[in-house]
Structures are given as C-alpha cells and as structure tokens.
Amino acid sequence: MSAKIISGKDLSAKLIKEILVPRVEKLKKQGITPKLIVLLVGTHTASASYVRQKELSAKKAGIISETWRYEKNVTETKLLKEIEKINKDKTIHGVIVQLPLPAHISIQKVLRTIHPSKDVDGFTPENIGKLFLGEPTIECCTPKGIIRMLEESGETLEGKKVTVIGRSNIVGKPVAALALNKSATVKICHSRTKNLNKEISDSEILIVAVGRPGFIHGDQIPKGCVVIDVGIHRKKEGGLCGDVHFESAKKKASKISPVPGGVGPMTVYSLIENTIEAAENTST
Ligand code: GUN
C-alpha cells in the first residue's frame, strides 16, 4: 500500500482561483482592496522564504501585500508604534509580525498591541480565546489550513480519533481545539509523553508538529491512518524534510501530506483568506 498524497500546493492553488479571487473581485467592486502588512525583523533565512511565498500568493489572489523590513536591532518601542499606526490605518485590513523575533522584543507585548480585527495570524489572546470557546473568530493559519486540507481530502472529523503531537501556541494547542470543535476525540502528545507509541497506536488522524526532523517513523503509524506533517527542516545534504519520515510513513498511512508542498502552502492560503475576511468585515 502507498498513501494518497494530500498536496497542499495543488489544493491552495485551486482554492485561491475558485474561492479567493471571486471574493476579492466582489470587494473591489465595492471599492475595497484587501491589504496585508507583514512586519519582518532581521534577516532570518526561513522567515525571508515564508515572506516571499506570502507575497506570491497574495498577488495570485489579487490582494495588496507589503513587507515592512526592520534591522534586527530595531527597538520594541518602534515596532509597537508601527503596529499602532497600522491599527489606525483604514486602508490596511491585516497585519502579521513574522516570528521568531530577536530576544530583546517581547512577543507577548507585540501580539497584545495588534488590534484583534486586524490580527490575521489569529495569535492575539482575544482571537485564540474565541477559537477555544468555539466562537467565530480569525483562526490561526496553520491549524485552519490543516483542518481545511483534511476536509478537502474527504476526511470528516466528527467522532474520529485525532492525535496531535506538539503543544505549541501556534499549532499544537489551536489545532487540537479546532478538531475538538469539529467533534473529534482529541489527544495531545508531546516530547515528554511517556510511551508515545502506545498513545498513538489507535489514531485515525495523526498531526505531527513537534519540530524535530523525522521524529515519527512509519513503524509507529497505525495502518490506514491519515498523517499530516507540520514540520519543515533544512537537510544537511540540501532539500527539506518534515517531522515524519516520509518514505516509511507512506507505506503505512492511507493519506499523507508531504514536505514541502503540504501544510506550508495551506498556512499561506489561510493567511490570505483571513485578510480577505477582515476586509469583508469592514464592508458590512
Ligand atoms: N513563523 C513561523 N510560522 C509563522 C506564522 O504562522 N506566523 C508568523 N507570524 N510567524 C511565523
């Protein structure tokens, strides 16, 4: 058996064309062009690559995307002032601050300064809180993209045994909450979980977001499980790999998302969709 590949790359391209472009055209007829600002501090290589992909997808959807760049020694005060300026600017619908940030800048302070209505990453306490309450909100991009790719691949979450490996604030915790909101039976494991193999042995959907290359091997995956790999790592010999050992995993899984071309493009898709949603909310 070889797993069916869930291509986030193909899916996001299709959804941009079929869903986002018409929504943007409708907004433009009302005189609104959705506008996203990405604040990028320093020259982190991975961040620069993510930012390029965001700009490309924004262009395909027909929205405006600007990247505002700052030296790595920019002060926290300066960054907070920039966010306050964006909060007041009616022509800007969404803002994200690309993470990681240099150590002298408080992520908590930065996130609490972004107005929740423009928080298209869905990282502010208000938006995360609503997500956990199951209320409509701007949902974090990677978790939203994961649920979307599962559903578009034909998976229903209701009643399914979903195991999330990873407990970060930007993926593990919120994706568990979203799956729970869809009536899945959810278990969260992480790097300190004892007897991980036993914990994941009856999973029907496995979402791996631990941030360690090749952390999960095919041997550990229950036969027929759907595997979503959130990790992305640069290999020493060149190329990228995920948190899952793809070659062995695809022999056990029924469906699997690859790295690259899996979750990454769906994260970017969700960001553009969130920006359009934020713009639509200003028009009503
Ligand atoms: N760094 C890695 N992933 C993300 C993300 O989804 N949003 C932001 N702002 N920074 C990131």
Side-chain angles (χ1 to χ4, degrees):
M1 185 175 81
S2 189
K4 182 176 175 285
I5 307 297
I6 308 177
S7 168
K9 188 174 169 212
D10 292 349
L11 179 60
S12 65
K14 172 178 163 288
L15 294 175
I16 287 177
K17 242 191 255 162
E18 290 178 3
I19 296 178
L20 299 190
V21 167
R23 280 168 70 178
V24 173
E25 280 169 4
K26 192 170 166 208
L27 280 166
K28 285 184 177 169
K29 281 191 192 127
Q30 299 169 48
I32 300 167
T33 303
K35 183 170 172 180
L36 167 70
I37 306 295
V38 178
L39 303 184
L40 179 60
V41 179
T43 52
H44 193 263
T45 326
S47 292
S49 148
Y50 294 144
V51 166
R52 261 196 312 279
Q53 284 160 29
K54 286 167 188 172
E55 285 172 350
L56 274 173
S57 294
K59 203 168 167 192
K60 284 184 190 149
I63 75 167
I64 301 169
S65 158
E66 285 178 10
T67 304
W68 295 4
R69 291 166 203 272
Y70 303 88
E71 300 285 338
K72 65 174 186 300
N73 59 0
V74 67
T75 63
E76 187 181 88
T77 311
K78 163 85 177 160
L79 207 57
L80 297 182
K81 277 197 181 135
E82 294 285 85
I83 294 170
E84 278 158 11
K85 192 165 87 185
I86 290 167
N87 285 344
K88 288 192 198 113
D89 186 334
K90 287 202 166 65
T91 69
I92 298 172
H93 305 95
V95 60
I96 72 163
V97 180
Q98 188 63 39
L99 301 177
L101 284 171
H104 68 279
I105 299 175
S106 155
I107 294 178
Q108 280 81 1
K109 261 196 208 167
V110 164
L111 294 182
R112 279 165 174 73
T113 305
I114 298 173
H115 194 279
S117 66
K118 297 194 180 188
D119 164 34
V120 286
D121 250 336
F123 286 173
T124 59
E126 176 165 335
N127 287 328
I128 284 271
K130 284 184 176 168
L131 183 144
F132 272 80
L133 293 171
E135 291 177 21
T137 188
I138 305 181
E139 295 174 352
C140 325
C141 299
T142 301
K144 179 176 176 167
I146 292 169
I147 300 295
R148 189 73 187 254
M149 71 199 292
L150 282 168
E151 290 184 336
E152 292 280 341
S153 82
E155 291 302 311
T156 43
L157 284 138
E158 190 177 329
K160 287 269 167 68
K161 287 183 182 144
V162 175
T163 306
V164 178
I165 310 182
R167 53 173 160 175
S168 70
N169 289 335
I170 65 175
V171 185
K173 289 182 206 169
V175 80
L178 283 182
L180 185 61
N181 292 347
K182 297 269 181 188
S183 303
T185 301
V186 183
K187 186 188 281 183
I188 306 179
C189 300
H190 47 80
S191 55
R192 306 267 176 89
T193 296
K194 286 185 186 150
N195 211 344
L196 181 68
N197 290 355
K198 181 167 167 277
E199 294 296 343
I200 65 180
S201 63
D202 64 349
S203 312
E204 292 170 280
I205 296 174
L206 189 59
I207 300 170
V208 190
V210 268
R212 295 190 190 178
F215 184 77
I216 292 293
H217 191 271
D219 293 348
Q220 299 163 276
I221 295 172
K223 202 160 186 279
C225 183
V226 177
V227 177
I228 301 292
D229 188 353
V230 187
I232 186 153
H233 312 277
R234 227 162 264 284
K235 290 193 280 192
K236 276 195 209 92
E237 65 271 28
L240 299 168
C241 70
D243 286 354
V244 176
H245 184 268
F246 185 77
E247 286 309 316
S248 59
K250 79 173 189 215
K251 292 182 189 144
K252 294 288 288 295
S254 60
K255 297 178 192 169
I256 187 167
S257 71
V259 177
V263 172
M266 291 306 294
T267 297
V268 176
Y269 173 83
S270 302
L271 176 70
I272 309 299
E273 184 171 58
N274 283 351
T275 306
I276 295 168
E277 230 163 76
E280 287 166 346
N281 289 342
T282 64
S283 78
T284 49

